[in-house]
Amino acid sequence: MKKLLFISALVALCLTGCDQGLPQEELDVFLQEAGFLHEKAPAMEVTSLDFSPDDKTFTLATRMVNDVGPYNLADSNAVRIVVKETVNSIQQHRFLPQLTAVRNTEAQKLAASGISVLALVDLTLPPTAIDLQHTAVTEMLTSFRPENLYVSFFYGDSISAPLQATNYVMRNYFQRKETDHKFLYRAILQQKQTMESGLAPWDQAAGRILVVFSDEQVYLDDDAPMDSEHFDLQQQLLLPDAGAVEAFYVSMNQDAESQDDNAASILQLFCQNHQGLFLHGFNWVTIKNAFFGRHGLDVCTYEFDFVNPDYKVYRGNRHHLTLDFFSTAADSLVSSVTAQIRKGTIYDPVIVHGRPIGLVIVQGCVLAFLILALVWLILQFLVPFIRYRLFLRHHVVTYRGPLMSTQNHLLSQTCYLCKAPFQEGDRVVVKCRHSMHKHCWDENDYHCPEFGSQCPEGSHFYNHRNLLDVRNATFYLPWLLGAIGAALLAWIAFLLWAHFSSSALLEDILRWMNLITDADSQQYINEFAEHEKLLPAFGLFISFFLTLVFAALAMYSRNVRRKWLSILLRAILAGLCSMMLFVITAGVEAVFSFEAFFFLLEWIPWILTAFIIAYASTIHTRIHLKFRRLLLAAVIALLTMHAWSFFILDARIDFRVFLLISFLVFAVGLAICVAQPVSRSHRYFLRVEGPVKTMEIALYKWFAADPTSVVTIGKSVDCHLQLSWDIIGLVAPVHAEIRKKQDALYLIPLEPGVTAAGQSLPVGRCTWLYQDRSFTIGNTTFTYIEKDFRH
């Protein structure tokens, strides 16, 4: 019943109008309320989506899969098109593509093909059926021009000559004729012969299609044939025919009980013999697809041209582009189509008419320098000032007289440094148990005389006279500044090199590792490793530059030549290892097709890259990584892995600049995990083990008094470290010495017998002392350690 109502409602859906039908507005409202237009909405499907080389424009090609009625979607007077686009369920507005043109390519191809159609209309049918025929011919006009579409009318014993489907014919000829008979078979054969005659207008037609509308009624109420030549005509209809006419019959009989089964069978065979179809109800899409296929025509129906706004970004997300077609008369939904667009990757975005790479690099440099300046201001001025104010508040008091107590102990009455008695109103530093004047504290380089192993808390450096003193800044400052600089260099190298060479590099390495073959390499790269193809370059650059900077900070005390050779080697090895991690991960994805579950593997190279950088930067240095620091580095690496996709596409800054932020997050996070306080003279100690009770000897006192001094080790009473306890060991009077060079300590054997790691050290050669480095003289083992006395 619902289908019957729908067929009846289509009566007035015509562009040219019909006197017998409902007005267009009333019919659209009826269809909208009945829900028929909504049911017909998914009537189109996408056949192709082609972008221009610069991605500025693209064309969406569609074809009709279901009938939507007499709507020409390219006619802006009858149809309003609403364009919507969503990305990850977020509707785009600022970067919505603009629809610039709609082409009915089907009509263009049919006009060029030279196919002509003749519609044979039965005027003896009820008014609703005549209106449906009018609607059907109107829908055919959406594909054919009037000069290629003809209409012939029959009723009683009258059969009109073919007429062009002009507006005049469509408005005035679809009028019901009252008659008790009609010559259906005669009309079909006559029009078929007319089309086969080759006379005008069929002489130039490359293809000829006859579409018959009727109800199969060929008998009167007394079962007598309406046409005296009925049986002869019936036999002619059944004859095989290899002519040029394709025949389609559309049954307009809405009453199944009154249908003439014999006539329907005859007409079905007739259509079959003429490469056509017998249809119960008009369906223009079915008819078109039938003769389109036989004539080798493309099934594309409509093409939509779009223009992308500048700076639109495709990052591998699925863009859902939806076109909704509304009737302009009643704003009712006629049809809709949705296309999925997936271009670019998170790491290699497609930017429409993006800024030149040089300008992007300039923008990134400006951003990085602003962040550098902000970090420098915070760590050089703000944080030290806040810490100094807290120091004054908690550890500097005003002396009020004898028996004054502070921090649960009695305050001494004299300054520990100058030995002068305190006077009322004096500012006194009580950072440790050695109270002293504030000016004495400042003059003593902001710590008490016993600062070290005897007084680990008696220090708080802040040069309030010279705020630019580098010692004011926290120890994180050089690490963070270096991390930002390394991230900037890695980002620049990534932009300049990765987009051109990383794909080829990945393909070559995967082929060299026998993970793919030459035949399928490009397919694997394109289909499975697309979003991973730039990550080897990311691992290479970020690991190389961060390791280079971190190792330079951690190995600051080595001699220049050996120092930089070691730093460079560490950076190269770290970069290559990180690159290979991403290559192997992409290869596993490509070979085993893990695209759907790749998130289970993707986190591995990110975490291991963080471990590689931290390990390569600190091994055999004074920095000793702890497990919790490595765990924090892993968490930061995981966060950075997803940071690339956190930024909304509506951002006004070029997306490539946002990639710099991800580089900075990774670099700064690792710097915080790796950074440890730099060594100073008050942190130098030697742990002594052997024929004497284990003890720690402070070396910093000698170097604090005179940085150029030499600490000697031997049995002589003139040695700083006299090994009087080693009675049986072969120890010379002056066996070795320790010197300070560029804030690092070196052991210099003066006599044979100094061993380290089981090997004898050459006499006269400097050996760098780093954290936990041990050496043996005689029966005594010395271990170099550094202690961090925090403020």
Side-chain angles (χ1 to χ4, degrees), residues 94-95 310-313 315 349 351 354-355 359-367 370-371 491 647-661:
R94 181 169 178 260
F95 291 105
D310 290 343
Y311 311 124
K312 182 173 183 177
V313 180
R315 304 180 302 167
I351 305 175
R355 296 177 178 87
L359 181 59
V360 174
I361 291 177
V362 170
Q363 290 180 335
C365 291
V366 172
L367 176 62
L370 289 176
I371 295 175
W491 174 75
F647 307 109
I648 304 302
L649 292 180
D650 283 342
R652 297 181 181 275
I653 302 178
D654 194 298
F655 185 77
R656 290 166 291 184
V657 178
F658 276 129
L659 294 184
L660 173 61
I661 297 178

Side-chain angles (χ1 to χ4, degrees), residues 128 398 415 575 612 638 710 719:
T128 55
T398 301
C415 176
I612 288 173
L638 284 177
V710 177
C719 290

Side-chain angles (χ1 to χ4, degrees), residues 11 14 16-21 119-141 149-154 163-177 213 252:
V11 172
C14 56
T16 56
C18 178
D19 295 340
Q20 287 80 15
L120 185 57
V121 176
D122 186 351
L123 295 181
T124 67
L125 300 178
T128 55
I130 292 179
D131 287 340
L132 286 175
Q133 293 178 91
H134 181 277
T135 300
V137 176
T138 303
E139 186 172 351
M140 294 166 69
L141 279 172
L149 178 61
Y150 295 83
V151 186
S152 179
F153 304 91
F154 73 98
L163 303 172
Q164 283 191 2
T166 61
N167 290 339
Y168 179 82
V169 171
M170 298 298 294
R171 283 196 302 266
N172 298 285
Y173 279 74
F174 284 81
Q175 306 289 334
R176 185 173 186 274
K177 302 296 183 181
F213 298 90
M252 307 299 295

Side-chain angles (χ1 to χ4, degrees), residues 377-481:
L377 290 173
I378 292 175
L379 299 185
Q380 178 69 41
F381 297 101
L382 183 59
V383 172
F385 176 75
I386 293 175
R387 293 175 59 187
Y388 181 63
R389 298 303 300 177
L390 293 175
F391 166 76
L392 294 179
R393 180 176 179 180
H394 294 101
H395 302 295
V396 178
V397 298
T398 301
Y399 186 74
R400 297 189 300 271
L403 303 180
M404 178 181 176
S405 63
T406 180
Q407 299 181 0
N408 298 323
H409 69 274
L410 187 65
L411 185 66
S412 64
Q413 300 182 23
T414 60
C415 176
Y416 189 81
L417 183 65
C418 68
K419 308 303 180 182
F422 294 129
Q423 303 294 327
E424 291 188 12
D426 287 349
R427 300 181 68 196
V428 180
V429 176
V430 292
K431 183 70 166 58
C432 57
R433 64 180 181 273
H434 308 110
S435 305
M436 53 194 303
H437 291 104
K438 177 64 169 59
H439 60 85
C440 292
W441 172 276
D442 294 345
E443 292 174 359
N444 197 48
D445 206 23
Y446 308 97
H447 60 76
C448 83
E450 300 298 329
F451 177 62
S453 59
Q454 303 299 323
C455 182
E457 70 276 5
S459 174
H460 183 94
F461 185 90
Y462 184 75
N463 188 349
H464 54 84
R465 301 183 182 91
N466 180 15
L467 298 181
L468 294 177
D469 191 328
V470 294
R471 294 175 295 174
N472 281 353
T474 64
F475 68 91
Y476 279 114
L477 180 59
W479 290 89
L480 295 187
L481 295 183

Side-chain angles (χ1 to χ4, degrees), residues 165-227:
T166 61
N167 290 339
Y168 179 82
V169 171
M170 298 298 294
R171 283 196 302 266
N172 298 285
Y173 279 74
F174 284 81
Q175 306 289 334
R176 185 173 186 274
K177 302 296 183 181
E178 295 287 346
T179 180
D180 58 353
H181 69 283
K182 58 187 173 185
F183 297 159
L184 175 60
Y185 291 168
R186 185 186 300 271
I188 294 174
L189 289 172
Q190 178 177 326
Q191 298 303 336
K192 173 180 172 292
Q193 293 170 0
T194 301
M195 299 180 72
E196 291 176 341
S197 64
L199 300 175
W202 313 107
D203 53 342
Q204 302 297 326
R208 303 161 191 179
I209 301 172
L210 174 63
V211 181
V212 181
F213 298 90
S214 190
D215 59 357
E216 303 93 57
Q217 296 301 316
V218 293
Y219 292 95
L220 298 171
D221 293 339
D222 57 359
D223 293 335
M226 295 182 184
D227 195 328

Side-chain angles (χ1 to χ4, degrees), residues 144-161:
F144 287 94
R145 298 175 181 176
E147 56 267 27
N148 297 105
L149 178 61
Y150 295 83
V151 186
S152 179
F153 304 91
F154 73 98
Y155 58 92
D157 56 359
S158 175
I159 303 173
S160 71

Side-chain angles (χ1 to χ4, degrees), residues 2-3 6 31 34-43 66-67 333-335:
K2 191 173 182 180
K3 183 177 180 181
F6 173 62
L31 291 177
F36 296 119
L37 288 178
H38 180 72
E39 289 184 0
K40 291 182 68 63
N66 289 311
D67 212 334
L333 182 64
V334 174
S335 181

Side-chain angles (χ1 to χ4, degrees), residues 279-356:
L279 302 175
H280 294 280
F282 179 74
N283 190 312
W284 183 226
V285 173
T286 302
I287 297 174
K288 285 188 300 184
N289 290 341
F291 68 77
F292 266 41
R294 280 193 294 273
H295 289 273
L297 298 176
D298 192 354
V299 295
C300 175
T301 307
Y302 291 96
E303 288 184 352
F304 304 91
D305 293 337
F306 292 90
V307 174
N308 270 325
D310 290 343
Y311 311 124
K312 182 173 183 177
V313 180
Y314 292 98
R315 304 180 302 167
N317 306 83
R318 295 189 183 275
H319 292 235
H320 296 271
L321 180 66
T322 302
L323 277 67
D324 290 331
F325 304 92
F326 292 87
S327 167
T328 56
D331 205 23
S332 303
L333 182 64
V334 174
S335 181
S336 67
V337 65
T338 299
Q340 289 190 359
I341 305 174
R342 190 174 185 180
K343 293 178 66 66
T345 68
I346 294 177
Y347 315 111
D348 186 19
V350 173
I351 305 175
V352 178
H353 278 195
R355 296 177 178 87

